[in-house]
Amino acid sequence: MDALFVGHDWAEDHHDVHLQDREGRQLAQVRLADGVEGIARFHALIAEHAQDPASVVIATETDRGLFVAALVAAGYRVFAVNPVSTAAYRTRHSTSGAKSDPGDAKVLADLARTDVRNHRPVAGDSELAVAVKVLARAHQGLVWTRQRQANQLRSTLREFYPAALEAFDDLASGDALALLAVASTPEQGRRLSRSKIAAALRRGGRQRNIDRRTIEIQTALRAEHLHAPAIVADTMGEVVSSLVAVIATIQTQISQLEQQLNERFEAHPDAKIIRSLPGLGMILGARVLAEFGDDPNRYDTAKSRKNYAGTSPITKASGKHHVVLARYARNKRLADACYQWAFSAITASPGARAFYDQRRAAGDTHHRALRALGNRLVGILHGCLRHHTIYDEHIAWAHRLTLAA
């Protein structure tokens, strides 16, 4: 048989697989266990119907996990399909809303047979790129967790300790964590002497403007505010102490991951090119590499890279109705990285600044102008990686800015 189409629906402990021939006839439908036993049975099942792994097209809803990695390593053509797309294809077979794992495997097999050209293959990234991705996502996850904990701390302080909110804008900063560790209630804060405040600031890592900052904090903590009953304040102070300890621990782990991420990223051959672009430091550059991957054949054109990044807009047109919108179905980690990249590039690159100013002058909002700048930067990155060249400010912007003038 010259072609085999497979739908793969995964779960935590099993995998549903549906096999079809070129005409759409079902050849097999099985449930496999996760792990070595499952992948061995999968290979045996495929061998009954196809000899060449390259003739096997597999559609799955994930591009991660050991099972999918084993499929890619075996030489099968594996395509990752967004679950939203799977849900849309499911309506071809049923409008009742019924859903099952075997049913989704069949939907994915049909998709592999008829529409796989519209979906992206799972990238064959290098082991080092995968390692960078693991660290970058773990680092970003901890950053998001720290922010959630800081928001919870802010909400708690708002209920009984408004002086702390006046003293500290960033509750995850070393200053705030060091002070709240020794003064978790308003009464404790009012009693702090300048020497104790200064000592706490040093423990938190501050090295400059300690005297000035000490006076500002003491003034804020001793200002008049409404206060809660003592027993309530003491109890909520215990909650504050717990949250401060959690945030401090997360902060330590973030620092450790940053060091490991920097080492892995610097060892990658594309790191020098990526870091040459304005606005991309070690952490943000590592995130960009992690989410794009390093498979040289994954993005045929700059447009395909922009589409994956979610920076290129989409157009909805019907009759007299025509609207251009931002993409919201996208890799949110990559989109977040590109947005921060664009924001940083404004101050690092005269060309990026000029591009942003032109978009603002044309009527774009700040966020829309940043998305457009991010889209342009992704295109520049694609060219640098494709031709293995370091970023050049003049070459990158001269042509684009001339057209916009």
Side-chain angles (χ1 to χ4, degrees):
M1 183 171 293
D2 59 350
L4 186 65
F5 303 95
V6 182
H8 166 240
D9 186 81
W10 67 278
E12 184 174 341
D13 59 353
H14 66 266
H15 304 264
D16 284 282
V17 174
H18 185 104
L19 276 66
Q20 291 183 0
D21 63 13
R22 189 179 294 277
E23 303 302 321
R25 290 186 292 265
Q26 177 179 319
L27 302 176
Q29 182 161 313
V30 297
R31 172 165 290 186
L32 305 176
D34 193 29
V36 175
E37 178 186 351
I39 198 68
R41 284 192 59 198
F42 181 88
H43 291 325
L45 183 64
I46 295 298
E48 296 177 7
H49 304 281
Q51 300 299 318
D52 182 8
S55 68
V56 180
V57 180
I58 303 174
T60 179
E61 287 185 330
T62 181
D63 60 356
R64 300 187 299 276
L66 296 175
F67 197 94
V68 173
L71 297 179
V72 175
Y76 304 125
R77 297 167 59 200
V78 184
F79 290 79
V81 180
N82 191 299
V84 176
S85 297
T86 305
Y89 278 99
R90 193 183 301 123
T91 60
R92 290 183 174 184
H93 303 268
S94 172
T95 58
S96 66
K99 181 186 184 304
S100 68
D101 292 344
D104 280 354
K106 181 183 184 304
V107 169
L108 288 165
D110 285 330
L111 186 153
R113 179 172 53 85
T114 61
D115 292 314
V116 75
R117 64 187 179 280
N118 295 320
H119 299 274
R120 62 181 178 85
V122 174
D125 293 332
S126 69
E127 295 178 359
L128 183 54
V130 173
V132 171
K133 184 175 183 177
V134 170
L135 288 170
R137 288 195 167 189
H139 177 271
Q140 189 173 42
L142 282 181
V143 170
W144 288 343
T145 299
R146 179 184 62 187
Q147 186 58 51
R148 288 193 296 269
Q149 295 296 321
N151 291 342
Q152 186 176 349
L153 176 58
R154 180 175 298 278
S155 179
T156 302
L157 292 173
R158 187 179 293 113
E159 294 186 29
F160 83 112
Y161 201 171
L165 297 180
E166 290 190 5
F168 307 107
D169 293 329
D170 181 6
L171 294 178
S173 67
D175 287 0
L177 295 177
L179 261 295
L180 290 175
V182 297
S184 60
T185 67
E187 184 58 30
Q188 291 173 343
R190 280 191 293 269
R191 291 202 306 262
L192 283 179
S193 65
R194 290 186 181 180
S195 62
K196 290 185 177 179
I197 294 175
L201 291 177
R202 291 189 180 93
R203 286 195 300 273
R206 177 173 285 272
Q207 298 178 350
R208 301 176 60 185
N209 300 320
I210 293 178
D211 292 339
R212 177 181 61 79
R213 188 68 182 117
T214 295
I215 295 173
E216 293 174 352
I217 292 173
Q218 187 183 58
T219 301
L221 294 180
R222 292 185 176 182
E224 290 295 327
H225 290 283
L226 296 176
H227 60 85
I231 188 172
V232 174
D234 290 343
T235 302
M236 298 194 75
E238 295 174 2
V239 176
V240 169
S241 295
S242 297
L243 290 172
V244 167
V246 170
I247 295 172
T249 300
I250 294 173
Q251 195 79 288
T252 300
Q253 298 304 314
I254 288 175
S255 297
Q256 293 179 4
L257 278 179
E258 281 185 4
Q259 182 178 355
Q260 297 170 20
L261 180 58
N262 290 344
E263 293 174 358
R264 296 289 189 184
F265 178 53
E266 278 191 315
H268 195 281
D270 289 341
K272 185 176 181 180
I273 295 175
I274 293 173
R275 288 204 62 202
S276 71
L277 276 88
L280 287 182
M282 293 297 292
I283 299 301
L284 203 54
R287 288 183 186 174
V288 168
L289 169 65
E291 299 305 328
F292 275 128
D294 65 351
D295 183 345
N297 301 314
R298 183 173 185 178
Y299 308 101
D300 293 332
T301 63
K303 181 175 177 58
S304 62
R305 188 182 289 269
K306 292 175 181 179
N307 290 345
Y308 180 69
T311 55
S312 58
I314 57 174
T315 301
K316 291 187 176 181
S318 178
K320 296 182 179 180
H321 182 73
H322 184 278
V323 62
V324 179
L325 302 172
R327 290 176 183 261
Y328 290 100
R330 55 188 177 178
N331 180 331
K332 290 182 172 54
R333 291 179 183 272
L334 181 55
D336 178 71
C338 290
Y339 188 86
Q340 293 184 48
W341 175 15
F343 185 80
S344 300
I346 291 177
T347 56
S349 163
R353 181 75 219 193
F355 181 92
Y356 170 84
D357 289 341
Q358 288 176 352
R359 297 299 301 231
R360 293 285 280 149
D364 284 358
T365 63
H366 169 70
H367 296 296
R368 188 172 180 179
L370 281 184
R371 286 198 300 269
L373 175 57
N375 192 50
R376 174 60 183 160
L377 289 170
V378 169
I380 294 172
L381 173 64
H382 180 82
C384 289
L385 292 174
R386 176 58 59 89
H387 300 290
H388 303 287
T389 57
I390 299 298
Y391 169 83
D392 183 283
E393 176 78 14
H394 176 73
I395 294 175
W397 298 102
H399 179 64
R400 182 65 183 83
L401 293 176
T402 299
L403 292 179

